[in-house]
């Protein structure tokens, strides 16, 4: 982030394009659902700090192990609210 902030003023019409996913890799697979929500909230803070950024790609998908761990459809729908 420091490099971006130090070099950003040198350029015009420049945007930092972010691709945010929480479903690829073992580090995401071992997190419980509540931690996934916490991590998503932390990203809001990061996005507010980066000058001229946009989220070009994002996903609400969870690792498949979490998807099947809901006890029923009602719990799954409640989590997604």
């Amino acid at each position: 982030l420091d490099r971006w902030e130090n070099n950003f003023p040198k350029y015009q019409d420049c945007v930092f394009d972010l691709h945010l996913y929480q479903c690829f890799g073992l580090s995401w697979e071992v997190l419980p659902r509540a931690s996934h929500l916490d991590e998503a909230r932390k990203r809001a803070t990061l996005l507010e700090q980066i000058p001229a950024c946009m989220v070009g790609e994002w996903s609400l998908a969870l690792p498949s192990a979490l998807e099947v761990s809901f006890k029923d459809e009602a719990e799954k729908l409640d989590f997604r609210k």
Side-chain angles (χ1 to χ4, degrees):
L1 186 58
D2 289 337
R3 287 183 184 169
W4 177 253
E5 288 176 338
N6 291 337
N7 290 305
F8 176 74
K10 296 178 188 177
Y11 305 100
Q12 293 180 353
D13 299 326
C14 187
V15 175
F16 193 63
D17 180 16
L18 301 172
H19 297 208
L20 304 176
Y21 297 95
Q22 288 183 216
C23 57
F24 301 120
L26 184 60
S27 62
W28 292 112
E29 291 177 18
V30 298
L31 285 180
R33 287 189 295 261
S35 295
H36 273 274
L37 288 173
D38 291 340
E39 291 300 318
R41 289 180 187 112
K42 288 179 191 174
R43 287 185 169 171
T45 302
L46 173 66
L47 293 173
E48 290 171 353
Q49 294 174 357
I50 300 173
C53 76
M54 65 172 245
V55 178
E57 292 183 21
W58 61 278
S59 175
L60 294 176
L62 294 173
S64 58
L66 283 177
E67 285 289 329
V68 297
S69 67
F70 293 103
K71 66 181 177 189
D72 57 30
E73 193 65 23
E75 183 184 40
K76 186 176 184 177
L77 290 172
D78 188 49
F79 175 77
R80 292 184 178 209
K81 288 182 182 177

